[in-house]
Amino acid sequence: MARSTTGADSAGSPSSPKTAEHGRRPHHRDTLEQGTLIAAALCVFMAQFALTVPAGLNGLFQQDFSTSASELTWISDAFLVPVTVLELTFGLLGDLFGRRRLLVGGSVLVAIGCATCVLTPGSGTDHTTRLIVMWTGQIITGIGAAAVIPTTLAMIAAGTHTPRARARSISVWAASLSLGSVLSPLACGLTARWQFGSNPYAGWRWAFLVVVVLAGVSAVLAFLLAQNSSSPEGRSLDWPGQITIGLSVLGLLFAVIQGPTSGWGSAEVIGGFACAAVFLVAFVLAERRSASPLLRLDLFNDRNFTIAAVVTVVGMFAYLGTGYVTSIRLTAIQGFTPLRASLAFIVFNGVSALIQVPIASRLIERYNPKWVLGGGLLLIAAGDFWMATIPIGRQSITPLIPPLVVAGAGVAFVLSAVTSVVINTVPNHLAGMAAGWTSLLRDFGFTLGPAVVGAIALSRAAQGISDKVASTPALSQALDAFNTSAATAPSDQREALEGAIAAVDSGPLGANAVPATVSLPDGSTVPFNPLKETAFHALGSAYSLGYLIVGLCALAAALVTMVLIGGQRTDTLITPESLND
């Protein structure tokens, strides 16, 4: 079996001692050092907790910031974009300079970013200024998470030396990631009930304070418990590769996220796509010429690695796309509180966390991961198809519970299996590279989920509202009267009425957020927003289409996985070089 090392010694050197890096004592070959596994699990839990925070708070964000659909999307994607852009680079930095310091530094950055979000100015400050501060905090948090996520996976890959240990450690890692997705919406729901200052919609700030505490604890435990590791042999800073891949991914994400707002034919969106294409070509050329590439392109000669890369993006698109549609349905459309909506996410991600270690790890250990991965994608597709049939008028979370259980079980298998396929098909001294690549693809899929599904759903809803207004003269007349009502309103009500009109005119989510009736001082009610009912049903239909799109993508990825990834039924796809001996 070919030798490799997690330290600075030459890979495969006969004289290299079989010890951990930097002269530490050797540990048992069949297990990952317990402190390292604990630190890695806690840090990836914290990073995923931070990533998931906006999902349960979209309703409060919209009410507090009076966001447009694009602005609301950017609160989540301001975190996800730097994560996606920088993970490959941080995988390299961990290889070169040691992974423990990245784990500690990344956790500290997450704490700083979330603290910045908490310090976002109140509603008396200019709308744009408030959003810039919020987005800045999310960007800093995303940079920290970009350091943490691939580093935790690289530590696990570098510290495991048998198929059994690798499968179990990766399943613990994936379960910790899922647990972050479980507890984050619950914490958001509980803390959002607490008053934060005089603004009734500012309870979202408590959730970010929870992340600050978690990140601080993670940094301390990573410093105390994690065993350092690195793989500097044959690795060096690849500035052309880092710059070109970063600009390519940034251009693509900007175009996809901004397309629904600016228009797919607008100059900035076309420019984003062009930027992505040009710099992707430049990245390939740079990597071909680099003596120490950021990503070894010859890895794509392995069909399993290539197919797994594509399936990772689609699978994670399906995962977060499902969560995003569910979040918008329950909070922004049906108006459930964050605490009530958290029940759906507890079910969705809780099922995943519960079965990952006892079931997914055993299946991956014994069988070809492609069957586990394909089966998981089929379960996600089945759950999404089921949820697409549930009418928006069912003002209850209960009908969503059974399909969320099905989809959540699928997520458990997908998260563990797709990571195993990528990590197990590369040499162990390239653990940082593989971990960074896997994390980049995973979070690229995460970013595309809300962006693509949101773009399609909101465009469909806007068209549905427009068609309804055009075909219903009474509704058109009522809307015209509503839009001109501020001119004749009492002076003390004019500002609030103008704000309501602007919200209704901002798009489907804004039209749904403004109530159809208002209460008078004598207790009676009068009609107010004529588009409320139309927007509600248009959004319901549009986001049902979102479930259908996500399900179709998961189904296609399942078929590709089971047909094109090689290996026999019991082949675990682990190459000898991917394990230390």
Side-chain angles (χ1 to χ4, degrees):
M1 182 180 293
R3 297 181 187 273
S4 59
T5 179
T6 59
D9 295 329
S10 298
S13 172
S15 62
S16 299
K18 296 178 183 181
T19 61
E21 189 194 27
H22 304 314
R24 294 193 178 195
R25 61 178 178 83
H27 52 83
H28 194 278
R29 302 292 294 174
D30 193 45
T31 59
L32 180 66
E33 186 171 293
Q34 188 176 23
T36 300
L37 184 58
I38 291 173
L42 178 60
C43 287
V44 78
F45 164 83
M46 176 272 298
Q48 185 67 16
F49 188 104
L51 184 154
T52 315
V53 160
L57 298 173
N58 280 321
L60 286 180
F61 289 147
Q62 186 182 41
Q63 291 170 310
D64 189 10
F65 291 92
S66 300
T67 59
S68 67
S70 175
E71 291 168 344
L72 185 61
T73 300
W74 273 109
I75 290 178
S76 294
D77 284 340
F79 178 105
L80 288 166
V81 168
V83 168
T84 307
V85 169
L86 295 174
E87 278 178 321
L88 200 55
T89 297
F90 278 119
L92 168 64
L93 293 177
D95 285 349
L96 289 175
F97 304 115
R99 296 173 182 127
R100 184 174 61 183
R101 67 182 65 183
L102 271 187
L103 212 55
V104 174
S107 298
V108 171
L109 276 179
V110 170
I112 293 172
C114 286
T116 302
C117 292
V118 174
L119 296 175
T120 298
S123 55
T125 306
D126 175 69
H127 170 79
T128 302
T129 301
R130 299 186 70 212
L131 282 174
I132 289 174
V133 174
M134 184 70 183
W135 290 336
T136 300
Q138 284 286 77
I139 289 170
I140 296 171
T141 306
I143 295 172
V148 167
I149 296 173
T151 301
T152 57
L153 186 54
M155 277 183 157
I156 287 173
T160 51
H161 315 285
T162 68
R164 179 185 180 90
R166 177 73 58 83
R168 291 190 174 183
S169 296
I170 286 179
S171 291
V172 169
W173 179 89
S176 300
L177 186 145
S178 294
L179 192 61
S181 298
V182 174
L183 297 184
S184 179
L186 177 61
C188 290
L190 289 171
T191 57
R193 303 167 65 193
W194 303 342
Q195 188 80 8
F196 196 106
S198 59
N199 184 348
Y201 304 125
W204 59 265
R205 297 173 192 262
W206 291 110
F208 286 91
L209 280 176
V210 172
V211 181
V212 171
V213 174
L214 274 176
V217 172
S218 298
V220 172
L221 290 183
F223 179 78
L224 295 176
L225 298 180
Q227 181 183 18
N228 197 20
S229 66
S230 62
S231 301
E233 64 278 3
R235 302 281 272 155
S236 63
L237 291 174
D238 175 21
W239 290 114
Q242 291 156 358
I243 293 171
T244 51
I245 189 62
L247 291 175
S248 178
V249 173
L250 183 61
L252 179 58
L253 292 178
F254 173 83
V256 171
I257 294 168
Q258 199 62 27
T261 300
S262 300
W264 296 104
S266 64
E268 59 263 43
V269 172
I270 293 175
F273 283 123
C275 173
V278 169
F279 283 107
L280 179 60
V281 172
F283 172 71
V284 172
L285 294 175
E287 297 306 275
R288 287 186 179 277
R289 297 177 180 178
S290 175
S292 178
L294 186 64
L295 177 65
R296 277 178 42 179
L297 300 180
D298 63 313
L299 292 174
F300 292 95
N301 294 334
D302 185 325
R303 188 178 67 180
N304 292 339
F305 184 88
T306 303
I307 298 300
V310 176
V311 171
T312 297
V313 174
V314 180
M316 295 306 98
F317 169 87
Y319 172 27
L320 205 64
T322 301
Y324 173 76
V325 175
T326 303
S327 168
I328 295 296
R329 175 189 172 107
L330 295 177
T331 60
I333 301 177
Q334 293 185 320
F336 288 111
T337 64
L339 182 58
R340 289 190 66 190
S342 70
L343 175 61
F345 297 101
I346 292 171
V347 170
F348 180 46
N349 294 298
V351 170
S352 175
L354 286 174
I355 70 176
Q356 244 151 3
V357 176
I359 299 176
S361 65
R362 291 179 182 271
L363 292 175
I364 293 169
E365 178 185 340
R366 297 179 183 181
Y367 302 102
N368 188 324
K370 78 173 186 178
W371 301 113
V372 182
L373 176 56
L377 288 164
L378 287 176
L379 288 173
I380 294 176
D384 279 299
F385 291 152
W386 189 347
M387 285 184 280
T389 66
I390 300 173
I392 195 68
R394 298 283 297 275
Q395 288 278 57
S396 171
I397 295 176
T398 304
L400 292 176
I401 299 301
L404 283 172
V405 169
V406 173
V411 168
F413 298 126
V414 169
L415 279 174
S416 295
V418 77
T419 303
S420 294
V421 172
V422 176
I423 292 295
N424 290 342
T425 53
V426 302
N428 205 44
H429 69 278
L430 298 179
M433 180 185 293
W437 177 244
T438 304
S439 299
L440 183 153
L441 293 172
R442 184 184 60 251
D443 291 313
F444 181 60
F446 280 167
T447 308
L448 288 180
V452 174
V453 176
I456 296 172
L458 288 172
S459 296
R460 174 71 176 265
Q463 186 61 50
I465 293 172
S466 177
D467 291 344
K468 183 71 173 178
V469 171
S471 62
T472 311
L475 178 60
S476 178
Q477 293 170 6
L479 181 60
D480 290 339
F482 174 74
N483 286 333
T484 58
S485 60
T488 58
S491 58
D492 60 334
Q493 300 176 13
R494 188 168 300 153
E495 183 177 355
L497 186 54
E498 288 173 346
I501 293 170
V504 170
D505 292 339
S506 68
L509 289 174
N512 182 68
V514 176
T517 61
V518 293
S519 298
L520 298 178
D522 61 3
S524 61
T525 60
V526 295
F528 187 55
N529 172 20
L531 277 188
K532 167 68 175 177
E533 192 71 15
T534 300
F536 178 79
H537 289 288
L539 285 166
S541 174
Y543 279 92
S544 290
L545 175 64
Y547 278 129
L548 185 60
I549 291 169
V550 171
L552 288 171
C553 289
L555 177 60
L559 296 176
V560 168
T561 297
M562 293 187 286
V563 172
L564 296 183
I565 290 183
Q568 301 301 314
R569 185 175 67 89
T570 57
D571 181 3
T572 60
L573 298 183
I574 296 181
T575 65
E577 293 81 5
S578 73
L579 299 171
N580 284 338
D581 190 18

